[in-house]
Amino acid sequence: MDTDDLGLAIGFEFGPTAITRLGMQGERVRCSTGRAVLDSEAEQKRCKGEQTAIGKAAYDAGPESVRTLFGTSRRKSGLTYDVVLEALTAEGDKVAKAAHVAAYAAKSPAIARAAEEPFRPHSEGR
């Protein structure tokens, strides 16, 4: 079976969500519902192939770096954790930078120190 053309569409939204567990003791399943869940499904339906769509509330509540990443269409193709981390770090997002440094710190302390300071070979002072 050829799976090269299969994609994963992801939609997400920000807002209140109720979480519960349904079923009998020992066989319960976690379940969530709310306007944000329904809106995230609507965002997923806007996607084609390997796209990720962000809802209007999440887009508006997020930092400028998120709006830059997703653009005015609020959709992005080929989005991965690493792509998001690099894009947000490049835009100066403090949370992304801390996650970026932590990811490198787990691999090597020297790489972590280098990750804290951007490499700019053509800047003055180097």
Side-chain angles (χ1 to χ4, degrees):
M1 179 177 184
D2 187 9
T3 59
D4 290 343
D5 293 331
L6 292 178
L8 177 63
I10 300 170
F12 66 95
E13 183 55 297
F14 173 76
T17 304
I19 301 173
T20 189
R21 292 179 1 178
L22 301 172
M24 297 174 60
Q25 190 169 359
E27 295 183 23
R28 293 187 180 165
V29 176
R30 288 189 183 101
C31 178
S32 67
T33 188
R35 175 64 34 211
V37 174
L38 298 174
D39 291 344
S40 71
E41 289 175 350
E43 292 302 320
Q44 183 181 23
K45 289 177 183 176
R46 290 190 323 117
C47 296
K48 293 176 178 56
E50 295 182 11
Q51 287 184 321
T52 301
I54 183 173
K56 180 104 173 82
Y59 182 84
D60 291 344
E64 184 61 34
S65 53
V66 168
R67 290 186 286 282
T68 300
L69 178 64
F70 281 93
T72 57
S73 71
R74 298 188 342 262
R75 276 187 296 205
K76 182 79 173 167
S77 296
L79 205 58
T80 65
Y81 177 80
D82 291 334
V83 168
V84 171
L85 193 59
E86 292 297 324
L88 298 184
T89 299
E91 289 284 327
D93 185 281
K94 292 177 183 176
V95 174
K97 185 173 182 176
H100 190 258
V101 169
Y104 282 110
K107 295 176 184 174
S108 164
I111 292 174
R113 283 191 301 278
E116 290 175 4
E117 184 66 34
F119 179 64
R120 295 188 176 103
H122 302 293
S123 65
E124 291 182 25
R126 286 202 179 208

